[in-house]
Amino acid sequence: MKAAIAWIMCRVRRYRPDDNALRRPSDRLEAAALAVTAILLVLSVWPAVLVAEHVSEQERKDAAERHHVLATLLEDALAIPLSLGRGASPGKRVAVRWVTPEGEQRTGTVALQKAAGKGSTVRVWIDGAGELTTPPPTPGTIGFTSISTAVLVVMGAAWVLYGCLLGFRRALDRRRYADWDRAWAQANARWRRPHQS
């Protein structure tokens, strides 16, 4: 813990604005770039919240459009044994017929885990267009999806900002090394004694 605090304090001393005469203009530019990066990272939380809210709203809207109806099996469904070590079996796909809320008859296939005879009814989920769909997400799933989306947006912004900061620092370092080489060349010219013949 002490090492982490010491590292943070070292960075604060390195980048804080002050009147240090030894601080080069490029050092001040680097500190300003770091401050701008930190501000932009904090500001990226707002778009992340907006995107997460949009995703959550869309998921709730999709969930509200889904509802279940009773469908009649058009063929026998045999029980599918669960596979060991590979998770649950997806089940056998069997043909079913259902009636949409508008009264239109539709057919399709659904996966069933349990045995059922032809003519028996099963509950299926349909969307607003009356087509078969998956069950609606639970409120917990919607919350997890929206939080995950917000975190991914912030992480994406952090990676982009970090890449920009690294590129800017690399350009500053090239300039610093060029200045350093120029200063050494000037010092070498000043310090070199002319050869006596």
Side-chain angles (χ1 to χ4, degrees), residues 24 39 73 79 108 125 127 142 144 168 173 186:
R24 300 168 293 188
I39 290 168
L73 290 179
W125 289 92
D127 58 17
I142 292 172
F144 178 77
F168 185 72
D173 284 342
Q186 289 172 357

Side-chain angles (χ1 to χ4, degrees), residues 84-103:
L84 297 176
R86 296 184 185 201
S89 170
K92 181 183 182 215
R93 298 204 64 86
V94 293
V96 294
R97 179 177 49 240
W98 68 95
V99 178
T100 66
E102 293 78 27

Side-chain angles (χ1 to χ4, degrees), residues 69-145:
V69 295
L70 291 177
T72 306
L73 290 179
L74 300 178
E75 58 184 321
D76 289 335
L78 302 175
I80 303 291
L82 294 178
S83 57
L84 297 176
R86 296 184 185 201
S89 170
K92 181 183 182 215
R93 298 204 64 86
V94 293
V96 294
R97 179 177 49 240
W98 68 95
V99 178
T100 66
E102 293 78 27
E104 184 182 345
Q105 283 197 3
R106 302 268 179 98
T107 58
T109 60
V110 294
L112 290 181
Q113 292 283 350
K114 58 185 180 183
K118 179 180 178 180
S120 60
T121 58
V122 293
R123 196 159 80 166
V124 296
W125 289 92
I126 59 172
D127 58 17
E131 297 296 328
L132 289 173
T133 187
T134 57
T138 63
T141 304
I142 292 172
F144 178 77
T145 302

